[in-house]
Amino acid sequence: MRFLLVGGGAREHAIGIALQRAGSELLVASSNANPGLERIAARSVRLDPTDGSRVVAFAKEAKAQAAVIGPEAPLGAGVADALRASGIPTVGPGKAAAQIETSKLFCRELLARHGVAGQPRFVAPTTVEEADRAVAQFPGPFVVKPSGLTAGKGVWVQGSDFTDPKEGAAYAKSILVQGQRVLLEEKLEGEEFSLMAFVTDSGVYPMPAVQDFKRALEGDKGGNTGGMGSYSQRDHLLPFLSAGERDQAVQVLEASAAAIRAEGLSYRGILYGGFMLTADGPRLLEFNARFGDPEGINVLTLYEPGDFESLLFGVATGRVDPNLIRFRLRATVVKYVVPPGYGDRPKPGGIVTVDDKAIEDAGVHLVYGSVEAVGPASVRLGTSRGLALVGEASAIHEAGSRVEAALAFVKGDYYVRHDIGTKEDLARRWEHVRRLRSPNAKASPLPLSVASADAPPSSAGAPDQVIG
Ligand code: AMP
Ligand code: GLY
């Protein structure tokens, strides 16, 4: 099938690899020439991916039979509507339903209207006076969020991005005076996780849970970023996340999909829930209307080779075969190679040399992001995330070690978070949640099922068995 892929980042390269393995003929429409996609695409064009008429013109001319939209900006611009209107089944919600991501205010109000559980308390002031009053309504720490898209970088959390409530109020007011809406939310304490699902108008099909590392620097220091890396566990849960808690998060996705339907909106695409696991269970931080980046790379790596094309076509046409929801039982770790200073002041232009073959020989997959090819084995970093390295193994820390070993074959001036997927970091997160659940109990070690590569996963299954 001729599949059009809109977007040119690492997430799109991972989608492209999964489609290519399923035998798709890949057509790529993106603003940048992604070196990984260039290698596997039958055709690829440079265009503004938010320009619906140009995307449709290319899709028609290249005889695309289906389309998948990777990033949020084209969804927000209505590119999925334009493709569907021209008769091309598309993975990705239309502009109206994509507001679940593009407007945090739309999302919170929709979920509140339909009584979806698991929301933090929020206030959406419309004037600077209201903003001052809103701050006073939060007895504890709070969070300030511009309502629109900020690539994960516009959210200010009390305790990390500001200390004095007055600073938070000033930030909220600065957003309002720019003519944008702003939300103030109760600050949730816990561990974050991402749960994505394939969604049609009749079904919600969850994928393995993933933990993303949002902060720029090791030890979760520095500013919020799009995500520096991520991991997933062999049993599709997380070290700190039980099956029951995952199921609660699935219920939030199901209730939200039902709320979207109840508003008369169609949804055929990916629904990504960003959750905080708190002492009271999972709470929803945000929705995205697409695969997470990097989280999508974890789950796409786990997708059982073969039928991704049928699965995506099923999502696009609203008829998913549940037997196609097949992810291997392996742990994965993704680490992003980024320009120095990424997050606040990225320094672009650095040349990085990559030995693709040595990386593959080390059992690690290389996924190309926002880089420009400058030779057969070298790329130039831009201001965004450059290369993603994906390791897989039985245990998370083992997958992380594989990525670390493969980084020896990536040379140049770049930054990477070495702490992602280490035993120490996993133990810290496990202990964080344990303390939230029972503050007075003694510290307990990381469970064997997480710490040891040889231990069986906590749900049944041999290492490489596939579960739905
Ligand atoms: P968002 O774009 O809404 O996901 O926010 C980006 C990041 O800000 C999240 O991944 C969290 O780390 C943090 N954040 C957002 N909302 C909250 C909240 N209510 N409480 C604590 N942290 C939050
Ligand atoms: N990694 C967070 C996101 O994709 O929005």
Side-chain angles (χ1 to χ4, degrees):
M1 185 177 284
R2 290 168 79 79
F3 231 104
L4 171 68
L5 172 56
V6 178
R11 165 187 43 212
E12 288 72 37
H13 186 202
I15 297 171
I17 292 169
L19 279 172
Q20 187 214 23
R21 284 196 317 194
S24 305
E25 198 175 326
L26 212 58
L27 310 166
V28 176
S30 59
S31 55
N32 60 310
N34 178 309
L37 283 171
E38 290 301 293
R39 275 183 216 162
I40 59 175
R43 279 188 64 188
S44 123
V45 286
R46 298 295 70 77
L47 47 71
D48 171 0
T50 65
D51 182 340
S53 48
R54 288 205 58 199
V55 173
V56 168
F58 173 60
K60 286 281 185 205
E61 187 254 316
K63 301 196 166 45
Q65 293 165 295
V68 50
I69 298 179
E72 59 276 23
L75 295 170
V79 173
D81 304 290
L83 283 163
R84 276 194 275 269
S86 75
I88 298 170
T90 298
V91 179
K95 183 175 178 165
Q99 287 180 92
I100 197 99
E101 166 166 9
T102 59
S103 166
K104 293 184 196 300
L105 187 60
F106 170 89
C107 175
R108 288 279 183 231
E109 289 180 338
L110 173 93
L111 302 181
R113 261 199 306 282
H114 294 271
V116 177
Q119 311 300 313
R121 210 157 64 75
F122 74 96
V123 185
T126 53
T127 63
V128 291
E129 295 74 29
E130 275 178 32
D132 279 321
R133 283 201 294 277
V135 167
Q137 290 180 40
F138 290 94
F142 65 96
V143 173
V144 183
K145 302 180 169 188
S147 176
L149 289 177
T150 60
K153 294 161 197 152
V155 176
W156 278 28
V157 181
Q158 191 170 4
S160 340
D161 305 290
F162 67 95
T163 38
D164 190 332
K166 286 201 189 79
E167 289 173 72
Y171 179 50
K173 289 188 266 191
S174 75
I175 297 166
L176 283 170
V177 297
Q178 286 169 39
Q180 290 167 35
R181 295 300 305 271
V182 67
L183 270 81
L184 279 71
E185 284 179 9
E186 132 195 38
K187 179 184 173 183
L188 299 168
E189 294 287 355
E191 279 294 325
E192 282 183 54
F193 66 96
S194 310
L195 190 71
M196 297 173 280
F198 300 99
V199 173
T200 65
D201 299 318
S202 55
V204 171
Y205 308 91
M207 307 183 212
V210 184
Q211 187 170 41
D212 178 26
F213 285 63
K214 293 242 162 63
R215 296 278 167 178
L217 307 176
E218 290 186 6
D220 285 342
K221 304 278 189 307
N224 264 326
T225 70
M228 297 294 296
S230 45
Y231 67 78
S232 72
Q233 186 168 281
R234 176 166 141 192
D235 59 4
H236 301 170
L237 301 173
L238 294 168
F240 53 85
L241 181 75
S242 70
E245 288 159 341
R246 188 264 320 271
D247 293 347
Q248 282 176 38
V250 170
Q251 281 163 19
V252 172
L253 296 183
E254 286 169 348
S256 304
I260 294 169
R261 259 197 311 278
E263 302 259 328
L265 297 171
S266 171
Y267 202 105
R268 291 179 180 179
I270 314 301
L271 184 62
Y272 160 129
F275 290 91
M276 184 76 87
L277 180 64
T278 70
D280 305 318
R283 294 280 175 273
L284 185 78
L285 293 175
E286 64 160 349
F287 272 132
N288 293 322
R290 49 171 175 81
F291 282 111
D293 187 354
E295 298 96 316
I297 303 172
N298 298 80
V299 299
L300 289 161
T301 301
L302 288 174
Y303 189 73
E304 179 70 358
D307 246 336
F308 194 60
E309 178 184 275
S310 305
L311 173 56
L312 282 195
F313 191 70
V315 175
T317 51
R319 286 184 301 271
V320 170
D321 174 356
N323 294 318
L324 292 179
I325 312 291
R326 293 164 67 83
F327 294 95
R328 290 178 298 123
L329 283 167
R330 297 277 279 171
T332 61
V333 168
V334 175
K335 296 195 190 207
Y336 253 123
V337 166
V338 301
Y342 176 69
D344 297 326
R345 270 183 298 279
K347 198 178 104 215
I351 302 293
V352 171
T353 59
V354 219
D355 187 340
D356 294 44
K357 183 165 180 316
I359 293 171
E360 288 294 334
D361 288 348
V364 169
H365 314 294
L366 177 64
V367 184
Y368 286 84
S370 169
V371 289
E372 187 193 332
V374 288
S378 49
V379 294
R380 183 180 288 116
L381 293 175
T383 53
S384 310
R385 296 169 290 179
L387 299 166
L389 273 69
V390 197
E392 60 170 89
S394 298
I396 299 163
H397 67 89
E398 209 182 57
S401 301
R402 291 198 173 160
V403 174
E404 286 295 315
L407 281 169
F409 307 112
V410 182
K411 295 197 168 68
D413 187 17
Y414 62 80
Y415 179 73
V416 65
R417 270 190 69 170
H418 296 293
D419 60 340
I420 297 171
T422 58
K423 244 185 205 176
E424 295 69 30
D425 188 77
L426 297 173
R428 198 165 60 77
R429 292 171 194 281
W430 156 258
E431 175 59 17
H432 182 200
V433 172
R434 194 203 57 75
R435 253 187 296 113
L436 280 177
R437 288 191 179 120
S438 28
N440 301 320
K442 268 201 352 258
S444 64
L446 192 65
L448 198 64
S449 60
V450 176
S452 158
D454 304 321
S458 46
S459 64
D464 297 311
Q465 187 191 328
V466 177
I467 59 167

